[in-house]
Amino acid sequence: MSRSTAIHPATGPSVAITIGAYKAVDFIRLNIAACRRVFGDSTPILISDDPSAYSESIQALAGEEGCAYQGSSNRRSHCSGDWQAFINGCVFARSCGADVAIKLSQRFVPVDHRFKDLLLSPFSDPNVAVVYPSQMSKKQLARPGIKIYSMFSMLTDCFAWRASEVDPEMLLATFVERQMTGDKTATVPEFAWRQIVDRDFPGRAVGVEKLSNPVYGETKCYLRKASAKQGEYHRLAVELGL
């Protein structure tokens, strides 16, 4: 992998955002509106859709909002559909000429500029190639029964990488190789990305603590499925006029 050049801190990197989608039209609408507010109206956004009975509505929403849309030809598993969003995000960011590719899951929704700063400021170091949320504390979980989210050493519902350095063919090859092992957890995105980070970007990936564990007492600068409640999403939607 080639070393990157520094990004001027005054302007920051240009970004292209991919939102992984499946069924939840209202969350996708909310996420688009939130990304526009945080990153700017001109920021390119791709909706990467796993096919469902809602795909026609999701594609229509993408068109209404001026977003690109890419749907797969057949239904995928949860993990392979999520991985497809990473691959689509790689291709999309490069086609847009963006410095940084961002992938968000549909229910990971940015709230204000502090999220943008947390995610992008590490890229001011030219050595940094990948930025991700670090391990989540069990104290952050919004409800019982989802402790699995606190067991991963990194989270992938929010992820960013230098578009020039992460190759979509490499992502596909890594996923297929892991899939062929037959291990039930092989294709879990958190494990696949851990392999890639350790193998291809040693010392060049940054885990951001506040992207997993917000400071107690501070208002949230993002909402995550595992740590947010329905009312928080609803309040943000009202704030955005939805």
Side-chain angles (χ1 to χ4, degrees):
M1 297 293 177
S2 61
R3 296 286 167 151
S4 304
T5 57
I7 295 168
H8 195 283
T11 57
S14 61
V15 304
I17 300 170
T18 294
I19 299 172
Y22 178 66
K23 285 189 174 182
V25 181
D26 288 342
F27 276 102
I28 299 162
R29 186 186 303 277
L30 173 62
N31 213 335
I32 293 170
C35 285
R36 296 287 194 216
R37 179 171 76 168
V38 172
F39 291 93
D41 290 339
S42 63
T43 300
I45 298 175
L46 168 71
I47 308 303
S48 177
D49 188 22
D50 202 16
S52 70
Y54 294 85
S55 289
E56 186 174 335
S57 297
I58 293 171
Q59 186 171 10
L61 172 61
E64 291 167 11
E65 296 294 338
C67 299
Y69 174 88
Q70 180 66 53
S72 53
S73 57
N74 54 351
R75 177 78 179 99
R76 302 181 184 277
S77 69
H78 173 80
C79 290
S80 60
D82 196 28
W83 202 252
Q84 184 67 57
F86 282 109
I87 294 172
N88 287 341
C90 274
V91 175
F92 181 63
R94 289 185 173 193
S95 72
C96 294
D99 297 319
V100 171
I102 297 173
K103 178 266 182 186
L104 302 175
S105 295
Q106 60 188 357
R107 287 177 285 187
F108 187 104
V109 182
V111 172
D112 61 37
H113 68 90
R114 292 173 298 157
F115 167 74
K116 179 181 177 181
D117 294 342
L118 284 174
L119 188 63
L120 297 184
S121 60
F123 289 109
S124 62
D125 179 349
N127 183 57
V128 172
V130 176
V131 177
Y132 60 88
S134 59
Q135 188 165 15
M136 178 189 284
S137 167
K138 291 180 181 179
K139 296 177 181 179
Q140 299 291 341
L141 299 176
R143 55 197 175 279
I146 55 172
K147 64 180 181 179
I148 188 172
Y149 287 95
S150 65
M151 298 172 68
F152 298 122
S153 64
M154 62 164 61
L155 296 178
T156 60
D157 52 0
C158 157
F159 219 81
W161 63 92
R162 289 187 191 270
S164 62
E165 297 214 30
V166 177
D167 185 78
E169 294 295 336
M170 178 272 287
L171 291 185
L172 177 60
T174 300
F175 190 83
V176 170
E177 288 168 7
R178 294 180 63 86
Q179 194 174 43
M180 290 177 66
T181 66
D183 185 336
K184 291 182 178 179
T185 64
T187 58
V188 173
E190 286 80 2
F191 295 150
W193 265 112
R194 173 51 65 190
Q195 176 186 340
I196 290 168
V197 162
D198 292 345
R199 179 191 67 199
D200 298 329
F201 302 104
R204 303 190 62 208
V206 174
V208 179
E209 177 70 15
K210 285 188 176 182
L211 286 175
S212 293
N213 301 299
V215 175
Y216 181 75
E218 289 185 1
T219 57
K220 292 181 179 178
C221 65
Y222 58 84
L223 301 180
R224 165 181 278 122
K225 178 180 73 170
S227 57
K229 297 182 179 180
Q230 182 177 349
E232 293 176 281
Y233 286 107
H234 183 264
R235 285 192 292 274
L236 179 60
V238 171
E239 185 179 327
L240 292 171
L242 301 180

